[in-house]
Amino acid sequence: MTTFRELGLAEPLLKALTVEGYEVPTPVQELAIPPLLEGKDVLGVAQTGTGKTAAFALPVLQAMLAERSQAKRKIRALVLSPTRELAAQIGDRFAAYSKELDLRHLVIFGGVNQNPQVRALRRGLDILVATPGRLLDLVGQGYIDLTEVEFFVLDEADRMLDMGFIHDLNRIQKLLPRQKQTLMFSATYSREIRQLAATMLHTPTEV
Ligand code: AMP
């Protein structure tokens, strides 16, 4: 059986996984982590409950570890989620896996007062987990700079399409640097998802 160590994960992450009680990688983790650590774009078809959050969070954290942190934090990873519940869950996972790391994350979503989010943005962060509408809103107000993003994750992309976020996704993509690693996860492998992948991903590994 493959271990997390054999997948190439670094020591601080292995420690966090032991604390979480994860013994072996799930199938989506086993398939997605190696190409992601190599810097490839990945299209992952996986349902909730398969361990897909760790499949993208661990390689993103590892890549961010490898680079010396700058004097001032800047958003280097952007994770988009269709709903606030999912965004909060993703934030919880990043918190668990990065306890020992000097990386800060923030979760933002709509339907709540923006002021606490704006204050947190001003303090600086490395990883932003967001729903599309509030993200664009705060970008428009000048509180968020996405020009340094190196990792772009679209989680539950099929639900984002179902919820009518396609125009938001296209707008967000235009705000990101051309040179970046993109990860897209979807529960379905529909024609729409393949079309979206064709516009968002660069020669992706499909898992
Ligand atoms: P997800 O599909 O990302 O929502 O993850 C579903 C649940 O599985 C979460 O509660 C994770 O903490 C847990 N999980 C993820 N990967 C593993 C693993 N390798 N071993 C045990 N539990 C895991």
Side-chain angles (χ1 to χ4, degrees):
M1 202 174 291
T2 313
T3 62
F4 282 112
R5 186 180 298 277
E6 283 162 351
L7 294 183
L9 290 175
E11 216 55 56
L13 293 169
L14 294 173
K15 239 172 93 182
L17 294 175
T18 305
V19 171
E20 288 303 300
Y22 298 4
E23 286 170 2
V24 289
T26 65
V28 66
Q29 291 163 3
E30 193 172 332
L31 292 171
I33 290 174
L36 287 173
L37 288 177
E38 283 174 31
K40 297 208 169 85
D41 283 4
V42 163
L43 170 60
V45 180
Q47 321 269 342
T48 297
T50 54
K52 69 181 164 63
T53 313
F56 65 75
L58 296 169
V60 165
L61 288 168
Q62 175 143 330
M64 294 178 75
L65 268 185
E67 262 178 62
R68 280 256 60 81
S69 64
Q70 320 285 326
K72 191 177 176 330
R73 290 176 195 273
K74 51 193 187 184
I75 299 170
R76 287 191 283 153
L78 172 65
V79 183
L80 286 185
S81 146
T83 66
R84 68 166 97 176
E85 292 76 17
L86 180 65
Q89 278 172 36
I90 296 168
D92 288 347
R93 293 293 90 211
F94 270 103
Y97 307 141
S98 64
K99 265 187 208 121
E100 307 274 320
L101 315 178
D102 179 29
L103 291 171
R104 254 192 252 162
H105 74 277
L106 175 68
V107 181
I108 63 168
F109 44 71
V112 296
N113 188 304
Q114 73 170 37
N115 295 338
Q117 298 175 358
V118 168
R119 280 197 295 276
L121 286 165
R122 287 208 175 106
R123 284 195 291 271
L125 65 150
D126 307 281
I127 300 156
L128 181 63
V129 183
T131 53
R134 178 58 60 99
L135 175 71
L136 283 168
D137 201 355
L138 293 177
V139 169
Q141 294 177 58
Y143 294 121
I144 295 176
D145 174 10
L146 297 177
T147 59
E148 307 276 352
V149 166
E150 299 163 28
F151 305 95
F152 180 37
V153 183
L154 291 121
D155 197 16
E156 303 207 349
D158 49 337
R159 268 173 88 192
M160 289 207 255
L161 293 183
D162 291 345
M163 292 170 70
F165 283 134
I166 184 67
H167 298 297
D168 285 352
L169 295 183
N170 288 329
R171 282 176 64 199
I172 291 163
Q173 200 199 15
K174 290 203 186 84
L175 301 168
L176 302 173
R178 197 175 286 269
Q179 176 85 14
K180 63 182 174 302
Q181 191 177 0
T182 306
L183 297 60
M184 191 167 125
F185 285 81
S186 168
T188 60
Y189 190 65
S190 62
R191 209 164 84 93
E192 289 74 21
I193 282 298
R194 291 197 297 274
Q195 272 169 0
L196 182 67
T199 64
M200 296 277 177
L201 304 171
H202 179 67
T203 55
T205 303
E206 296 189 6
V207 305

